[in-house]
Structure formats: structure tokens, C-alpha cells
Amino acid sequence: MRQNIVLILTTGIILTAVLAIVYAPIIALVIALMGMSVIALILVKGWWRRAYVGTLLAMAIGASHIDALSRLGDLAKAGAVGLLVLATFLTTRDQEASWQNLSHRVTLWMLWTVASLAGISLLWSEARATSVTQTAIFIAFVYVLHRVSTTRWQNTSVLAKDIGTAYWTSTSLLAVGGLLAAGGFPGAISEFSGRYQGIFTNPNLLGLIAAITLVLGIGWALHKRSPMIWVSLIIPASQVILSESRTSMIAAAVAIIWVTISGSVVRTIVAVFTALTVTVFIQAFRIDLWGESLDRFTAMEGGDLFNARTTGWEYVFTYVGENPLGVGWAATTDALAAFNAAGIGPGLSSIHNSYLQLIYELGWLGLVPALFVLALFIHVAFARNTLGIQTGLIATAIAGAIIHFAESTMFGVGQPYPYLFWFAIVAAIVSFDSPIRPTISAEDVAIQHGQP
């Protein structure tokens, strides 16, 4: 029955999209994404996992450069987070909570501390309405992480499948964006820079989401031992390259190298052999794999190699030196716009550094969580378990730690990145002492017996 429903929906979506492409490309895209959402929700097992997929899709739509999608996303994001919280409560309320280890407990309390500081900062926020909304969403976000990690993820098979679902959802979104760019869809390639951005607002956002998806996918492929998953990695890998995001390319490369050399000797030999084989193939057929992507590593955009980011970094310490409480949680964009308009800002729209943004928004108190999360990522990077999906979780911590030095995305809960990154980080910590093996979960058994 489920397969028949999917077949009917798929056929209808394709026919409708073909007609819409001729007359209204944006309508075609909306139909395609809505259709993908319906199919995903039918195929995904379990109500919590469906709510999680819905949240990732809503966040991606809300972070789109396409006005028709972003307006829809503004409403969808709030609804999706609410449904995720509700699904988390209903599916875990009868389960006994348990901390897996000390790192698990400390990490969650650190996130609750950040949420508390965010709430306190509402008293002096430069953009109170934005701060109130984003604080509420962040509290919901931490609640879900807390409850899921202390109940649902006690079953490591469920944990692995949740991460695998996140990988497939993100990969599907990247594939849609890649097809739009290849087909010349308006805005899929940035008019400003000529770089791929898919459905997202800018190429850097595409790059960092693709980088995290890629390293998560490597872990999922090792876990499932499926050739199809290895082949699917072409999608996020290509989007990292085509986005021309230097930060994302470096982060993905360093993460992959790290988990390769820290793994088994066999893994290292296989990786080296594969790299040499691909290199020989590229040279033999003279394939231009990188295009102009590597040219940006020497580009002096904004006057320096860091694209004027150092100006924003210096400004943070100047501002907090004069205003030790910061601008308020999630108020960076509004505050910079106001300060720039008044002629007292750095002339930038972003700090381009997640650690410094914590300090800019929470004042000197933000230094504590900024240093903690950096130490946390290093802690995960040196975890003992480097088998299967845990390889991808560790690689995610490494890639994210690097990304956060150049992008202000770590706690931006209005777009998909945190829902990939932090779920992976907490999953890594939960599974420190529990090697994850491919098994049939109790949830899957329940679903097979007709339970939701």
C-alpha cells in the first residue's frame, strides 16, 4: 500500500512539475519540494523521525534565496519546531531518562547555560523581538537534544538510523539545488559571485551544509556498508566544490584526513589507494574536477585573503570592551545593520566567526561557552570509537570546529546547519562507550507490528 501511494504521488508530482516548469519555474520548485516532503514523511519510519525530517526541510526552505519559499519557510519553521517538540514529548514521555557518561551530562548543561544566558540578554538586547523569538526556538532545540539523547538514543540502533535519516534528507536537498543550478534556475547560481548556492541564500551556506552532510555520510556508509551510499556521497562532495567555499573545502578535507589516519591501518591503505586511483583517472582523462574553485584560495576579496573577516573580528573586542554585556542573543544582524547605518559599525553584515559571535551577543560571559564548545569539539575529535557511523560523528566535530572560525552558524537555529551539526555532536558523546553496530532496532520491530 505504501509503495502504491508513493508511486502515485511521484507520478503526479513529475507531471505537474513538467507543466509548471514551462509556465512558472518557482511553482515547479515549490511543488518538487512539497512532493519530496510528502514522500519522505511516508517512507520514514516513526513519528519522531518524521518530525525531524520535517524540521530539516522547513529550515532549508526558510533559508532559501527564493522569496516564495522563504516566506513559506518563515511559517513552516515555527510549526516544524513545535511539532518536533511535541513528537519528542509524546514519544519519550514514558521512557526513563539516563545520562550515558559525564561528557554527556556536562555538554547538555552547557547548552542549557547558553539558553539561560540568551534569556537574560533579552533585558538589554539591541533587537528584542528577534532575541525573544530566537531564544524560544533555541530553548526548544536544547529540550529536544536533551530529551532525545537521554531516552531515545539509549538504543544505538535508533541513534544510527536517526543520523542516517538526517544524511538522506540533507543529501536530497543538495541534489535538488544541484539540479536547479545545472538547469539554469534563477538564483541557483549567485548573480553576485557566479558561485553555486542551490536553494540556499548564499554559496557559503550551501558549502558548510554540504561539508557536514559529506562527513556524516561517510560514517553512514561505513555503518551500512552499502555501495549506494558511497555513490551518493558524490552529491554533497560536488556541492562543497561547486560552492567554492574555502572554509568548507578545508573543513571537509581536514576532517576526512583526520578520521582516516586515526583509524585502522587497513582504512588508511584503502584511502590512499582510492585517492591515487582517482588522481590517475582524472589525469588520464584530463577531467577539470575543481574548475575555478581553487582560485579563491589566492583571491584578495575585500582586500585580504580572509575577505575582510578580520575587520569584524577586531570589531567584536572593541565593541565588547565598551559594552561588556553584548548586543543580545541573535541580535547580531539587526545590531550591525543599525550600527552601520549610524556610521559606527564595521560595515559588515556578519561577524563570520561563531565563537566571537557568542562573545558579541552575550558579552564577556559568552567567552565561557565559546571556550567550552571549542574544547568539546577537540574532546570528540580524540574519541576512542572510530568505527562505522562514529567515524562520521567525529569528522563532523572536526569539520564544524573549523567552519565556526569563519562562519557564524553554530547556533543559528533558523536554518538547517545546527539540526545536523549538534545532533551529530551529542550523538557522538552519547555513543562514546557504546560501539554502534548495524542491528534491527526495537523501534523498527514495533513499526513492523503496526505501531507508529
Side-chain angles (χ1 to χ4, degrees):
M1 180 64 179
R2 177 179 293 180
Q3 288 80 0
N4 292 336
I5 294 175
V6 171
L7 180 60
I8 294 170
L9 282 171
T10 303
T11 304
I13 290 164
I14 292 173
L15 291 175
T16 306
V18 168
L19 292 174
I21 286 172
V22 178
Y23 300 103
I26 291 179
I27 294 176
L29 177 59
V30 172
I31 292 172
L33 289 174
M34 291 180 66
M36 186 176 74
S37 302
V38 172
I39 292 172
L41 295 177
I42 293 174
L43 293 178
V44 170
K45 297 178 181 179
W47 291 112
W48 185 90
R49 207 170 284 157
R50 289 170 182 160
Y52 181 39
V53 170
T55 301
L56 287 171
L57 293 173
M59 292 298 165
I61 292 172
S64 174
H65 61 82
I66 302 169
D67 290 338
L69 287 180
S70 60
R71 285 196 295 270
L72 176 65
D74 288 340
L75 296 174
K77 288 191 295 186
V81 171
L83 288 175
L84 183 61
V85 170
L86 180 62
T88 300
F89 172 74
L90 292 177
T91 58
T92 66
R93 59 180 173 176
D94 296 327
Q95 298 182 40
E96 183 179 353
S98 175
W99 298 103
Q100 296 300 97
N101 48 57
L102 179 60
S103 297
H104 181 200
R105 185 189 296 270
V106 172
T107 298
L108 265 297
W109 281 115
M110 180 276 297
L111 291 173
W112 279 118
T113 299
V114 174
S116 300
L117 292 175
I120 294 172
S121 75
L122 299 179
L123 298 173
W124 57 81
S125 173
E126 296 285 346
R128 189 158 296 159
T130 301
S131 294
V132 169
T133 302
Q134 291 302 308
T135 297
I137 294 176
F138 185 67
I139 290 172
F141 176 79
V142 177
Y143 165 78
V144 172
L145 278 174
H146 185 141
R147 191 63 189 165
V148 166
S149 65
T150 55
T151 56
R152 178 181 178 88
W153 286 353
Q154 291 182 28
N155 185 323
T156 56
S157 177
V158 171
L159 183 156
K161 288 179 180 293
D162 288 345
I163 297 300
T165 299
Y167 167 72
W168 282 120
T169 303
S170 185
T171 298
S172 299
L173 289 166
L174 294 173
V176 169
L179 290 173
L180 291 174
F185 189 89
I189 297 178
S190 172
E191 296 179 1
F192 174 73
S193 63
R195 295 159 57 193
Y196 277 58
Q197 60 186 33
I199 66 170
F200 297 108
T201 52
N202 60 73
N204 288 340
L205 180 57
L206 169 64
L208 62 91
I209 290 175
I212 294 300
T213 303
L214 173 61
V215 293
L216 275 180
I218 291 173
W220 183 235
L222 289 170
H223 175 77
K224 295 294 288 184
R225 301 174 184 175
S226 167
M228 183 179 72
I229 299 176
W230 283 110
V231 172
S232 73
L233 293 176
I234 295 173
I235 296 172
S238 66
Q239 297 304 294
V240 171
I241 296 171
L242 292 172
S243 73
E244 299 182 26
S245 169
R246 294 170 291 184
T247 300
S248 297
M249 284 190 276
I250 292 172
V254 171
I256 292 171
I257 292 171
W258 177 271
V259 295
T260 298
I261 63 177
S262 63
S264 64
V265 175
V266 173
R267 181 190 297 174
T268 303
I269 293 172
V270 171
V272 171
F273 177 78
T274 302
L276 290 174
T277 302
V278 171
T279 301
V280 171
F281 180 83
I282 291 172
Q283 292 295 327
F285 290 91
R286 297 183 179 180
I287 298 173
D288 186 8
L289 178 64
W290 297 96
E292 298 179 358
S293 299
L294 298 182
D295 293 343
R296 297 195 69 246
F297 282 90
T298 56
M300 301 293 286
E301 300 175 0
D304 58 35
L305 288 173
F306 292 97
N307 197 13
R309 281 173 167 80
T310 52
T311 301
W313 301 345
E314 293 169 359
Y315 167 74
V316 168
F317 293 105
T318 301
Y319 179 85
V320 177
E322 299 172 356
N323 304 274
L325 295 179
V327 298
W329 183 254
T332 295
T333 301
D334 293 328
L336 287 176
F339 295 155
N340 290 337
I344 57 175
L348 302 174
S349 60
S350 173
I351 298 301
H352 285 294
N353 186 304
S354 295
Y355 309 109
L356 293 183
Q357 182 160 318
L358 274 173
I359 298 172
Y360 185 59
E361 293 182 350
L362 300 178
W364 291 118
L365 288 175
L367 182 63
V368 176
L371 292 175
F372 180 90
V373 294
L374 185 57
L376 171 65
F377 302 151
I378 295 173
H379 177 52
V380 174
F382 283 93
R384 295 186 300 276
N385 290 332
T386 58
L387 299 174
I389 198 168
Q390 287 157 318
T391 300
L393 301 178
I394 293 169
T396 299
I398 297 167
I402 296 171
I403 287 171
H404 300 156
F405 276 106
E407 300 295 342
S408 301
T409 188
M410 181 162 56
F411 289 127
V413 290
Q415 44 88 12
Y417 178 86
Y419 298 86
L420 292 170
F421 176 76
W422 278 106
F423 276 73
I425 294 300
V426 174
I429 293 167
V430 167
S431 63
F432 267 170
D433 303 317
S434 305
I436 302 176
R437 298 182 175 87
T439 57
I440 298 177
S441 68
E443 180 187 47
D444 291 334
V445 172
I447 291 172
Q448 290 170 3
H449 287 80
Q451 300 176 23

